Amino acid sequence: MSEPYDLVIIGGGPGGYNCAIRAGQLGLKVACVEMRGTLGGTCLNVGCIPSKALLHASELFESATTEFPAMGIIAGEVELDLPAMLAHKDETVDGLTKGIEFLFKKNGAEYIRGKGKILGQGKVQVETDSGISVLDTKHIVIATGSEVTPLPGVTIDEARIVSSTGALDLKQVPGRLVLIGAGVIGLELGSVWRRLGAEVVVVEYLDRILPGMDNELAKTAQRIFAKQGMDFRLGTKVTGVDSSDPGTLKVTLEPAKGGEAETIEADTVLVCIGRRPFTAGLGLENVGIEPDARGVIANDHFRTSAENVWVVGDCTSGPMLAHKAEDEGVACAERIAGKAGHVNYGVIPGVVYTYPELASVGKTEDELKQEGRKYKKGKFPFQANSRARANHATDGFVKILADAETDEILGAHMIGANVGELIAEICLAMEFRASSEDVARTCHPHPTLTEAVRQAAMGVEGWSMQS
């Protein structure tokens, strides 16, 4: 008999494939079982990467029609070639998935195409088109990710009523697109189709968009998105979607707190009310693991309640973010190898890739107030940043929160062009427990958008130089 694996990972998304690569680097015998047919999980195949390809392409399309003339560029008539734009998206995904397979080979990790199921301690069944086999392993890592949360009473057909997956592959631009949910996924995909010509209506049960993000950031974003043409129906719930008419969908709305119903029409409805852990058919009962009511598998430094069974990514606690899953996968592999793998959950950034972008890390003002922690803040508008002015990208601001006594940075919240890149500076500062003064007294290149971060840090002590 062959030697058992040191670990078998079920799921090849950011948590799983990074866990496999790191395990291979550490000299462990590792296999990653993935049933999709390609590595990369939701993020690479039908999530982060394809959506960013469309966001970038649609942003260029809109810029050519709205921004270019103001900058003296007469480009002629701009036309949309949607099949070519979708092909660009698919080519991007294909290249990156093949890249992960190369990294597996480079680092000695084995990729097994098939559906994995836990049979018991140290036993993983793999079902493929050619049959069923059983892998012996010392450790099992669950990295099965998440799936779209369904909306009761609304049937997703991925044609007219779509999830985020179907919204990435619409064959034509909808005349009217109704988004159910004003979270990250809905606003990103809604902005793609709005730029390409759709009328976008956003229906959200709560009385605000982007729940969980800094409140001032969310309010600013809503004003900007509304100015761009999005129609927001907040404090409203969808009670049904009638698809009996082949030409028009009829969406029934009601006030969240009760009231008279109304019906609006749509060509396409995007259901994006969130995601839930995907563990169906995984065999958790065979090792005594019971997820909670939300389907989340509990962990203690990535260990589950079952001996030598580990869990990372969307199917366990914490934010459902690819980079969080990646860090957990790496740390989990290191712990299995006897090293001190660690994830700092206080420094997990979140980004919304709309235009302008939103980015946050650490505590929000509401959280600090609830904790009773005294804090100071500095805020700097992009309107006063020279590079933003030159780029016609003056919407938004940078806000930095610091401890009132120690000046340690506690959080940062930004809205503006490219803030998804700018937030990394604050993440690094927080990892080193830097003060706002540390950032304020660090020389930043001029003229750049990063100067807005420095000026906000200066503002914590009231000495911003440019506003």
Side-chain angles (χ1 to χ4, degrees):
M1 294 179 63
S2 61
E3 286 291 317
Y5 290 95
D6 291 306
L7 67 156
V8 169
I9 304 159
I10 305 177
Y17 79 72
N18 281 286
C19 184
I21 290 170
R22 186 63 180 129
Q25 291 174 342
L26 294 169
L28 301 178
K29 184 179 180 182
V30 54
C32 182
V33 181
E34 169 56 53
M35 68 180 183
R36 186 184 296 272
T38 53
L39 292 167
T42 294
C43 172
L44 180 46
N45 288 277
V46 291
C48 313
I49 302 306
S51 66
K52 302 312 166 284
L54 291 181
L55 281 159
H56 178 64
S58 64
E59 188 176 323
L60 291 176
F61 176 79
E62 185 173 58
S63 294
T65 57
T66 59
E67 293 294 323
F68 283 11
M71 296 184 182
I73 304 171
I74 308 302
E77 186 176 353
V78 178
E79 295 182 8
L80 172 65
D81 185 344
L82 184 57
M85 188 178 288
L86 295 176
H88 155 68
K89 176 255 301 180
D90 293 339
E91 289 166 7
T92 302
V93 170
D94 184 61
L96 289 170
T97 55
K98 287 184 171 66
I100 299 175
E101 291 188 40
F102 167 77
L103 292 172
F104 268 45
K105 294 175 182 177
K106 177 183 176 181
N107 292 286
E110 184 179 351
Y111 167 33
I112 301 175
R113 292 176 174 84
K115 182 178 181 180
K117 178 179 181 179
I118 302 171
L119 293 183
Q121 187 173 349
K123 300 286 185 183
V124 175
Q125 172 185 289
V126 179
E127 182 181 351
T128 66
D129 292 339
S130 57
I132 293 176
S133 60
V134 177
L135 307 179
D136 293 319
T137 181
K138 298 174 185 175
H139 298 269
I140 298 171
V141 179
I142 301 169
T144 47
S146 60
E147 63 181 352
V148 172
T149 300
L151 179 63
V154 177
T155 301
I156 294 173
D157 58 18
E158 299 298 15
R160 293 198 295 163
I161 305 175
V162 300
S163 70
S164 55
T165 300
L168 292 168
D169 203 29
L170 298 179
K171 302 309 178 187
Q172 62 184 21
V173 179
R176 173 182 269 195
L177 171 65
V178 171
L179 310 179
I180 306 177
V184 176
I185 295 171
L187 293 176
E188 287 188 354
L189 292 174
S191 68
V192 167
W193 295 106
R194 181 201 60 75
R195 293 168 189 161
L196 300 181
E199 176 189 348
V200 176
V201 180
V202 185
V203 182
E204 169 57 49
Y205 183 83
L206 300 176
D207 60 1
R208 56 162 291 174
I209 70 171
L210 297 169
M213 294 199 83
D214 177 82
N215 193 44
E216 184 181 15
L217 212 62
K219 288 181 178 179
T220 302
Q222 184 183 335
R223 286 197 298 270
I224 294 172
F225 298 154
K227 187 176 180 180
Q228 292 173 352
M230 285 190 178
D231 178 11
F232 289 93
R233 307 287 185 91
L234 304 182
T236 304
K237 62 182 178 181
V238 173
T239 58
V241 179
D242 182 355
S243 59
S244 59
D245 185 336
T248 304
L249 297 169
K250 293 180 173 58
V251 185
T252 305
L253 312 178
E254 289 183 8
K257 296 180 180 179
E260 188 175 345
E262 67 170 311
T263 299
I264 62 174
E265 295 184 346
D267 299 290
T268 304
V269 171
L270 168 55
V271 180
C272 44
I273 60 171
R275 298 183 65 84
R276 63 184 183 185
F278 178 72
T279 56
L282 186 57
L284 298 179
E285 66 280 0
N286 295 329
V287 285
I289 295 175
E290 293 187 13
D292 67 16
R294 297 169 298 150
V296 173
I297 301 172
N299 83 88
D300 178 12
H301 296 90
F302 322 117
R303 292 181 180 272
T304 70
S305 58
E307 184 178 1
N308 292 338
V309 179
W310 308 68
V311 62
V312 300
D314 286 2
C315 52
T316 190
S317 53
M320 290 184 174
L321 297 169
H323 43 281
K324 174 258 194 186
E326 177 179 340
D327 279 8
E328 288 182 331
V330 169
C332 182
E334 290 173 344
R335 283 184 170 269
I336 290 172
K339 296 183 176 293
H342 172 69
V343 175
N344 182 356
Y345 290 100
V347 188
I348 302 290
V351 180
V352 186
Y353 295 92
T354 49
Y355 188 86
E357 294 180 348
L358 294 86
S360 292
V361 66
K363 299 288 188 178
T364 66
E365 289 194 70
D366 286 341
E367 288 172 335
L368 292 173
K369 289 173 182 176
Q370 290 170 5
E371 293 173 5
R373 189 166 186 176
K374 295 181 179 179
Y375 67 94
K376 304 172 291 185
K377 69 177 176 180
K379 182 179 172 184
F380 187 81
F382 279 107
Q383 179 70 34
N385 177 267
S386 56
R387 185 63 183 275
R389 294 287 290 270
N391 291 359
H392 284 206
T394 55
D395 282 334
F397 59 85
V398 175
K399 179 168 67 175
I400 293 177
L401 310 176
D403 187 274
E405 296 181 3
T406 67
D407 195 34
E408 179 182 351
I409 297 174
L410 304 176
H413 309 280
M414 312 175 185
I415 178 170
N418 301 111
V419 296
E421 306 289 344
L422 304 187
I423 197 69
E425 176 180 1
I426 300 300
C427 295
L428 183 61
M430 290 177 67
E431 282 288 356
F432 283 89
R433 301 193 68 177
S435 66
S436 70
E437 186 177 4
D438 289 327
V439 174
R441 296 193 179 277
T442 299
C443 188
H444 287 58
H446 174 79
T448 63
L449 298 176
T450 65
E451 289 177 288
V453 177
R454 185 187 190 189
Q455 291 293 323
M458 290 177 173
V460 172
E461 294 291 346
W463 61 289
S464 292
M465 306 289 288
Q466 297 173 6
S467 69

